[in-house]
Amino acid sequence: MPDLILLFVVSLIANTLSSLAGGGAGLLQLPILLFLGLAFPVALATHKLASVALGVGATMKHLRARTLDWRFSLVVLAFGLPGVWLGAQLILAVPEHAALLALAVLTTGLGVHSLLSPAHGQHAAPRHRHGWQLWLGGAVLFGIGILNGSLTSGTGLFVTLWLIGWFGMDYKQAVAYTLVLVGLFWNGAGAIALAMQAGIHWPWVPVLLAASVLGGYLGAHWGLARGNHTIKRAFEAVTIATGLSLFAKAWF
């Protein structure tokens, strides 16, 4: 029972922050699963499954707010899902130390870039939705999907920043797309692929799912209520913290 209480509290905090910032639930959730004794492949598969519930909680809130354009959502899914599946198949062949180090550099860079760009993501200016620009944007989403399927934490943050930087969304829109499409669909595909290889620790799943749904809803609610500035600050804090934790894991 103490382990389950600890797991619920840590997962609730992780998923609330992730829902507000647009990614980063693995910063806290995956380490607590490892700390409580799960092997890395099983912990990763279990974390991915729990992250699907984060998408469910956020979807409930954003459907009511009518935040998403479902035609563009299909574009994100069409490019991203094949990458997620491919990444999940490659996970056992990826040198973990090099992958973690590269992900740490990229994730920290995202936070620093946002921190040094005060106006970034504060106002929506849709662009690059047609022709070769759409295909280039989709190709990057495919690459992020590979990372999402094969690595542990932070790839949702990449999607958030790419939707802002390339497709011209503001933070509120980008986080909504990330939470629903990455949280629900990308992570769902990754969870299935990883579960087929490593299995899932089912006794802890109900606790993780409850914390993820609640955290997803709370983070989405606060994000919609507080606006782009608050979301931007949460994004910067989560990305830099995630990057530093990945540096620590890579070196120690």
Side-chain angles (χ1 to χ4, degrees), residues 26-45:
L27 172 65
L28 295 175
Q29 187 165 270
L30 184 67
I32 194 64
L33 293 172
L34 296 171
F35 175 77
L36 292 175
L38 295 188
F40 178 80
V42 178
L44 180 57

Side-chain angles (χ1 to χ4, degrees), residues 54-149:
L54 170 64
V56 171
T59 299
M60 291 164 56
K61 187 65 181 177
H62 286 294
L63 281 178
R64 292 176 59 189
R66 298 183 179 180
T67 311
L68 304 183
D69 175 354
W70 289 103
R71 292 181 65 182
F72 185 74
S73 298
L74 291 176
V75 172
V76 177
L77 294 178
F79 282 105
L81 286 176
V84 173
W85 189 263
L86 177 60
Q89 306 307 313
L90 296 175
I91 182 173
L92 298 180
V94 175
E96 185 178 354
H97 175 78
L100 287 175
L101 193 58
L103 188 61
V105 172
L106 290 171
T107 305
T108 306
L110 295 181
V112 173
H113 169 75
S114 179
L115 195 62
L116 296 177
S117 307
H120 190 70
Q122 296 303 293
H123 303 285
R127 56 183 180 268
H128 300 160
R129 308 292 177 93
H130 304 284
W132 69 268
Q133 295 174 328
L134 176 63
W135 282 95
L136 178 58
V140 173
L141 289 172
F142 175 78
I144 299 173
I146 294 175
L147 293 176
N148 179 271

Side-chain angles (χ1 to χ4, degrees), residues 16-22 61-62 65 67 170-173 175-176 179 215-232 234:
T16 301
L17 289 174
S18 177
S19 181
L20 182 59
K61 187 65 181 177
H62 286 294
T67 311
D170 61 19
Y171 268 100
K172 187 182 294 187
Q173 292 173 327
V175 166
L179 291 175
Y217 187 88
L218 289 175
H221 172 76
W222 289 335
L224 289 169
R226 299 301 297 273
N228 286 316
H229 181 74
T230 298
I231 298 172
K232 183 175 187 293

Side-chain angles (χ1 to χ4, degrees), residues 1-11 28-40 42-44 46 201 203-205 207-208:
M1 184 60 68
D3 285 351
L4 292 178
I5 293 173
L6 176 63
L7 189 61
F8 179 83
V9 172
V10 171
S11 182
L28 295 175
Q29 187 165 270
L30 184 67
I32 194 64
L33 293 172
L34 296 171
F35 175 77
L36 292 175
L38 295 188
F40 178 80
V42 178
L44 180 57
T46 305
H201 189 67
W204 291 352
V205 167
V207 172
L208 291 169

